[in-house]
Amino acid sequence: MSHRKFRAPRHGSLGFLPRKRCQRHRGKVKSFPKDDKSKPCHLTAFMGHKAGMSHILREVDRVGSRSHKKEVVEAITIIETPPMIAVGVVGYIETPRGLRSFKTVFAQHISDECKRRFYKNWYRSKKKAHTRTGQKWADEDGKKSIDADFDKMTKYCVAIRVLCHTQPKLFKLQEKKANIMEIQINGGEMADKVAFARSLLEKPISVKDLFAQNELIDVIGVTRGHGYNGVTFRWGTKKLPRKTHKGLRKVACIGAWHPSRVCFSVPRAGQYGYHHRTEVNKKVYRVGVKGDPNSASTAFDLTDKPITPMGGFSHYGQINEDFLMIKGNVVGPRKRLLTLRKSLLVHTKRVALEKINLKYIDTASKWGHGRFQTDAEKKAFQGLLKKDREAME
C-alpha cells in the first residue's frame, strides 16, 4: 500500500501518549523562559481561574493582510487573577543530573490559607506548620542563619525561585486551600535576584507587574474531563458499516497474529480529557484592574460598564479582582486553575507584534439571548419594574 501516509493516515496523535488522567489539578511549569541578565529582575509566571468567555470587535492593523483596516469579531477568555503572596525563596544549584534545590528560606508569617495546603485534614491538625521557621526571624541567631542562607544562594546558586500562593478568599469559589507554586526570577545578576526575592516576601504580587497588553503568553492547565470513551470519540476512527456484528464504533483490526500483543499505537477505548496541556502564544488583549467601573469600556464605546456580563459569568459569577483578557479559548472548564507563563520565545513576526485596538467588548447576558449590554440600558428600554416602583415609594 504505497503512500498510505497521505491516502489513509492514522487517526489521532501519538505525541500525547499516555492519555490518562492528570495527577495534578494545577498546571505545572516544566520549563521557564531563558534568563537574560541584561534585563531587570522580574517574575515569569502567575496563576488565575478561568471565569468565562465573551467576544470583542476590533480593527485589524496588519499591513499586507486582506483583513487590514477591517473590523473583525473574535472570541476572548476572561481569567480572574487576584494578587498572589510570596512566602519563600528557593535557590537551585547545578548538578550533573540537572538542577537541585540548595537552600529554602520561608517568610516569617504564613497565612492559614497557605498552611491548609500542608495538611490533609486541617481541623484535626495542630496547625503548627512552619512555626519554627517563622521564629527564626525573631531572634538574632535566627536572623544570622537566614542571612547566611541568602549569602550562600548568592554565591552558589544558578537559579532563584519564589514560593507564591493564591488567595482563595478573593476568588469566592468555596475553596480554602491556597495553591502554591515556584516562580522563577529572571534578569539581573544573582545578587540582584536574591535581593529582589527577599523584597517580595509577604507582599502581594499583582498580575499587571508581570504581563502587559499585546504580550504573548503561554497558558498551562488541565483540560475538561470526558471520562471513559470509545475509539470513535477518543481517536476519531472511522465507523464501520451499519450491519457490522457486535457494534460499529470499533476498530476492525487491532493488529496481526504475531507479534501476539496489541501495539501501543493502535486506538483503544479509555480516558478522554483531564489531560495536562500547554498552549503557547495566547495574546493578551487587556489587563484589568480591581475596582475599575469602566473595565469593559473602549475609546469607541464610552458606555460605563464593568467586564462582568449581565447576570454574571455563567457558573462563575462576578469579576471582583484583577483579570486578564486573552484572545481565543483556553483549556479547562469554568473555575479551572490556570498557570500563566511568559513566552519562551522572542517574537519578531508582525502577527505577534500587532498592536490591539479594541472597539467594543460584549457584556450582554450569557444566560439568555443577551439583548442588553448594561442594566441601565435594559431599564431604559423596559421601563420601571414593579419592585423598582415599590422601592421608590
Side-chain angles (χ1 to χ4, degrees), residues 18-31:
R19 294 199 180 201
K20 53 196 262 188
R21 285 178 61 82
C22 186
Q23 294 299 306
R24 61 181 77 86
H25 189 69
R26 173 180 65 83
K28 181 181 179 182
V29 178
K30 300 191 178 181
S31 57

Side-chain angles (χ1 to χ4, degrees), residues 136-175:
K136 276 188 177 181
W137 294 83
D139 59 2
E140 291 301 319
D141 292 338
K143 285 181 180 177
K144 285 180 181 177
S145 69
I146 289 170
D147 291 336
D149 286 346
F150 279 123
D151 291 340
K152 287 178 182 177
M153 284 186 199
T154 305
K155 186 175 181 181
Y156 298 111
C157 290
V158 295
I160 300 293
R161 294 178 185 172
V162 182
L163 277 165
C164 299
H165 71 81
T166 57
Q167 300 185 75
K169 63 185 178 185
L170 303 179
F171 279 116
K172 312 293 185 189
L173 291 180
Q174 298 181 346
E175 186 180 36

Side-chain angles (χ1 to χ4, degrees), residues 3 8 38 61 76 89 135 140 225 228 236 323 336 361 379:
H3 302 294
S38 63
D61 180 22
I76 50 126
V89 182
Q135 289 167 358
E140 291 301 319
Y228 193 96
F323 68 89
R336 179 59 50 86
I361 301 169
K379 287 180 178 177

Side-chain angles (χ1 to χ4, degrees), residues 212-231:
Q213 189 173 339
N214 304 320
E215 188 177 348
L216 288 175
I217 65 172
D218 301 339
V219 179
I220 307 167
V222 179
T223 61
R224 182 192 295 263
H226 294 274
Y228 193 96
N229 271 298
V231 286

Side-chain angles (χ1 to χ4, degrees), residues 112-127:
D112 284 352
E113 291 177 315
C114 182
K115 286 181 182 178
R116 279 177 183 268
R117 182 56 62 181
F118 306 136
Y119 293 99
K120 191 169 185 180
N121 193 327
W122 172 251
Y123 86 96
R124 282 187 175 176
S125 68
K126 294 183 179 178
K127 306 175 179 58

